[in-house]
Amino acid sequence: MSVRNYYLVVVLIAFSSIINPLSAIQNGSIIPKPQHTTINEGHFVLNGNTKIAYAQPSIKNLAVEFQKTLKTDIGIDTKLYKCRLHRNPKSTIELILQKGFENEAYQIVVNTKAVSCKASTEAGLFYAIQSLRQLIKTENGKVRIPCMKIDDAPRFAWRGFMLDEARQFFGKKTVMQYLDIMSRLKMNRFHWHLSDEQAFRLDIEKFPLLSTIGSIGSWSNRNSPAAYYTQSDIKEIVAYASRRHIMIIPEIDMPGHATAITRSYPYLSGGGQGRWAGFTLNPARESTYLFIDSLMTEIAALFPAPYIHIGADEVHFGNQSWHTDTEIQNFININKLTNEVTLEHYFVKRVNKIVQSKGKQTIGWDEIVNIDLKKDEAVVMWWRHDKPELLKQAIEIGFSVILTPRLPCYFDYVQDEEHQIGRRKFWDTPNINTLKTVYDFPDSPHQSSGIIAGNEKQVLGIQASLWSERIGDQKRLDFLSFPRLIAMAESGWTKKESKSYPDFMERLKLFQPTLEKEGIYYFNVFDKLLTPEPWGPTKEDVIPEDNTKFMQ
Ligand code: TNX
């Protein structure tokens, strides 16, 4: 190539990265995509001489963890020392806490001599590190990071993932693996559905039968051996999450979806027959509230999060006996509660007071919107996309809301036309929660769009929710979670103006090897034949046409 043509090519490349600011190379191929990135010439090279410097003693642990991560990610041993501000030797990665950044925001400046990461919070520095990890590439036999400047901050404060371990138990190793991947993607809320019809998955000292009896069984096998988390498991997992800046929010669903609790302690049951026997707690007994009080004391001590999720969904599925039980009917009359619905509201309000008395705030599914709770008394999790009016009311009342509408945030729906196992319909309407619908949420026209416009301050964030009825093992868990969780991470972090699906797909291609390294069986959207759909827990899971049974 002539010198003239060479310069022409250089100019064209430089120019194309200006006119095409969304290209994967330009944004340094980070997921979720950062707010502002400028790429400069040259590279910072990592090798045995690289040092990690921390500016404040309070972030020494973060620096130590970073050192370990570099060793596992790229096999390089680095040295660690306390930073001399602006006087660091060559080949240093500096971690500096500094005022002036929003919570979780960070800045990275990479030049040939040093990398500097700044943030006002440890979480911000942690996210700078996660971005760096994705930027490190081995090229021409060298481990290096392109010179660049990144200024980044999240769109939403709540970037969540819910895992249902009541229907199937996956265990500590899986949960930790998911927490780890979530944190690499800057997700920060793990909502843990720990109690339902099939099982109760926590060891509670005061009520030992909750684990010895309540944790027996799963959706696919009602006799599967007891499987639950001990209190020391929980402490370990909470600490693991906290080092990754993830808050764990436990959910104990009540008064409905409480069958595992009433199986363990039948005196708590609100009755019911057949399929729905013991589905509810008895709202008319003082002993129920005493039980909840003691339970919440232990839950509040185990989980440092400021929230406890109390479920409160779908009570009408299994409260038939409330209509005939004399004790319950008397309770309604004595307390002038009008009917069973008002009784349900009474129950939720009373439990809310218990939660408050433990110094926590209630989160509930959107059934709690219309029950006369004050706006600061609870946070609403909106799940019924077909009931936008509930989201509207929640916003009007002044509640903070978290958006996890079934469409497109429920990952128990299949993600591809060809997938047969699991949910494919919402009532009679075929529905697939594709990678793109997840990516486009909440921005493409959605039932929530008009309602949240102008009320963004009340939207804490968004969440993917994975119900595990159709999931028998980790392979299927992975397959339903990935890559959709990656799209959700970007929807939660990246501002609307910076989102671009084609660009995301380019970066996803580059991220897939990380999933492979982790041993995750993800759905390969680029080559579907490579990843056949894994089987569900039982043969009955293939229900292409009639899935009304799963709409309960
Ligand atoms: C509805 S979302 C439920 C869950 C099911 C899920 C399946 C919610 C509050 N309740 O109990 O597992 O649908 O998609």
Side-chain angles (χ1 to χ4, degrees):
M1 194 191 308
S2 72
V3 176
R4 193 166 159 268
N5 282 353
Y6 176 79
Y7 280 117
L8 192 65
V9 169
V10 171
V11 168
L12 277 178
I13 291 174
F15 190 63
S16 71
S17 65
I18 295 167
I19 54 171
N20 181 15
L22 295 173
S23 81
I25 300 298
Q26 167 76 7
N27 61 45
S29 58
I30 296 170
I31 301 180
K33 186 175 167 190
Q35 213 169 58
H36 299 292
T37 306
T38 9
I39 307 272
N40 301 317
E41 252 180 55
H43 290 87
F44 175 88
V45 176
L46 287 112
N47 54 35
N49 294 322
T50 306
K51 299 153 215 62
I52 297 174
Y54 56 96
Q56 288 85 6
S58 65
I59 52 171
K60 182 171 179 191
N61 284 343
L62 181 74
V64 172
E65 292 283 333
F66 182 32
Q67 200 183 20
K68 286 190 209 149
T69 305
L70 281 179
K71 177 76 182 163
T72 24
D73 281 1
I74 51 172
I76 287 181
D77 281 306
T78 47
K79 290 178 199 67
L80 190 75
Y81 73 98
K82 173 92 171 43
C83 220
R84 293 178 287 274
L85 273 183
H86 312 300
R87 286 190 292 113
N88 289 311
K90 260 181 86 175
S91 197
T92 299
I93 304 179
E94 307 164 348
L95 303 176
I96 302 166
L97 277 179
Q98 186 176 297
K99 288 206 178 98
F101 295 91
E102 282 167 46
N103 185 28
E104 300 186 308
Y106 67 90
Q107 183 187 67
I108 300 177
V109 179
V110 183
N111 60 43
T112 52
K113 291 192 182 134
V115 176
S116 127
C117 302
K118 291 180 180 166
S120 297
T121 58
E122 195 182 313
L125 287 177
F126 178 81
Y127 292 139
I129 290 171
Q130 302 320 309
S131 290
L132 280 182
R133 288 175 76 185
Q134 292 189 42
L135 290 171
I136 298 172
K137 297 268 145 57
T138 305
E139 284 155 333
N140 308 330
K142 285 188 173 154
V143 183
R144 56 191 205 172
I145 310 174
C147 291
M148 63 168 75
K149 181 166 184 264
I150 297 177
D151 282 287
D152 199 8
R155 174 176 181 184
F156 292 113
W158 185 291
R159 305 178 295 280
F161 175 54
M162 188 214 79
L163 182 63
D164 168 9
E165 279 205 274
R167 271 64 178 261
Q168 304 285 351
F169 186 77
F170 302 105
K172 189 157 78 175
K173 202 164 154 257
T174 305
V175 167
M176 286 177 162
Q177 185 187 29
Y178 272 60
L179 290 169
D180 198 46
I181 298 178
M182 279 173 70
S183 72
R184 291 169 86 146
L185 296 164
K186 304 187 176 80
M187 297 185 87
N188 65 354
R189 300 285 184 265
F190 181 65
H191 166 184
W192 211 356
H193 188 78
L194 288 166
S195 171
D196 213 295
E197 287 162 78
Q198 289 70 24
F200 187 96
R201 302 295 187 193
L202 272 184
D203 187 25
I204 298 296
E205 280 170 14
K206 192 153 184 189
F207 305 107
L209 302 186
L210 286 175
S211 44
T212 53
I213 294 180
S215 80
I216 294 174
S218 66
W219 174 277
S220 44
N221 175 6
R222 53 163 60 212
N223 299 314
S224 61
Y228 60 90
Y229 293 100
T230 64
Q231 298 214 347
S232 81
D233 288 333
I234 295 293
K235 283 177 199 148
E236 192 185 338
I237 295 169
V238 164
Y240 189 87
S242 147
R243 284 200 296 281
R244 286 159 182 74
H245 295 274
I246 296 175
M247 178 197 289
I248 300 191
I249 302 94
E251 179 188 351
I252 309 294
D253 208 343
M254 58 179 74
H257 286 282
T259 325
I261 300 179
T262 64
R263 201 168 68 223
S264 315
Y265 293 96
Y267 75 89
L268 295 169
S269 173
Q273 277 164 5
R275 159 92 173 80
W276 304 108
F279 183 74
T280 60
L281 297 181
N282 190 326
R285 284 204 188 141
E286 279 314 297
S287 48
T288 302
Y289 299 100
L290 289 173
F291 166 82
I292 296 169
D293 193 283
S294 303
L295 175 68
M296 290 302 179
T297 304
E298 288 193 39
I299 302 269
L302 278 176
F303 296 93
Y307 307 106
I308 295 178
H309 199 309
I310 62 160
D313 55 310
E314 300 179 325
V315 181
H316 62 278
F317 282 175
N319 72 347
Q320 301 84 357
S321 332
W322 292 14
H323 298 256
T324 49
D325 183 290
T326 39
E327 188 184 358
I328 294 179
Q329 286 299 317
N330 283 343
F331 190 85
I332 290 178
N333 290 336
I334 292 165
N335 291 286
K336 304 200 170 49
L337 290 173
T338 329
N339 58 31
E340 294 71 24
V341 174
T342 337
L343 173 62
E344 176 185 328
H345 298 172
Y346 166 92
F347 174 93
V348 173
K349 280 191 270 190
R350 223 172 133 179
V351 172
N352 174 52
K353 289 272 178 276
I354 296 174
V355 169
Q356 280 176 6
S357 76
K358 311 296 169 199
K360 308 282 183 178
Q361 196 180 16
T362 297
I363 302 184
W365 297 107
D366 58 33
E367 280 84 348
I368 68 167
V369 169
N370 284 321
I371 69 169
D372 214 15
L373 281 173
K374 306 223 166 35
K375 62 176 182 173
D376 298 323
E377 282 186 310
V379 172
V380 172
M381 219 171 234
W382 182 62
W383 68 282
R384 288 177 289 180
H385 68 283
D386 53 324
K387 293 197 188 307
E389 67 276 12
L390 284 174
L391 176 63
K392 191 159 182 276
Q393 279 165 2
I395 295 280
E396 279 165 8
I397 294 169
F399 285 119
S400 291
V401 296
I402 296 153
L403 310 177
T404 182
R406 272 187 288 225
L407 315 189
C409 298
Y410 274 21
F411 286 4
D412 51 338
Y413 281 90
V414 299
Q415 58 191 314
D416 190 86
E417 274 298 339
E418 286 163 27
H419 296 166
Q420 296 298 315
I421 302 164
R423 296 192 155 201
R424 293 173 51 90
K425 281 182 176 179
F426 178 69
W427 294 112
D428 284 336
T429 323
N431 179 67
I432 314 278
N433 286 342
T434 63
L435 183 64
K436 185 164 191 312
T437 58
V438 174
Y439 188 82
D440 288 343
F441 183 74
D443 304 310
S444 69
H446 184 268
Q447 287 87 343
S448 57
S449 308
I451 304 169
I452 60 176
N455 295 305
E456 286 81 1
K457 282 212 175 95
Q458 277 171 257
V459 181
L460 286 186
I462 60 177
Q463 173 173 299
S465 295
L466 187 39
W467 301 98
S468 59
E469 291 96 327
R470 311 284 109 218
I471 306 175
D473 57 14
Q474 166 133 20
K475 192 171 182 187
R476 216 178 131 64
L477 173 71
D478 290 351
F479 190 76
L480 289 179
S481 303
F482 295 99
R484 287 185 292 188
L485 197 60
I486 303 175
M488 185 55 84
E490 182 142 318
S491 294
W493 180 278
T494 305
K495 306 233 152 83
K496 182 178 176 182
E497 311 72 65
S498 308
K499 280 168 74 179
S500 151
Y501 190 64
D503 179 71
F504 169 74
M505 294 300 269
E506 289 303 310
R507 284 173 291 121
L508 178 60
K509 249 184 235 159
L510 302 172
F511 194 81
Q512 286 190 163
T514 304
L515 294 178
E516 275 149 39
K517 222 173 140 189
E518 287 295 324
I520 295 274
Y521 186 75
Y522 63 91
F523 171 49
N524 192 330
V525 281
F526 303 105
D527 192 346
K528 297 179 187 182
L529 294 178
L530 284 178
T531 51
E533 183 182 25
W535 202 240
T538 68
K539 297 228 170 202
E540 281 176 23
D541 296 327
V542 183
I543 339 125
E545 293 314 322
D546 173 24
N547 77 346
T548 46
K549 156 170 163 201
F550 306 106
M551 294 314 304
Q552 299 151 349

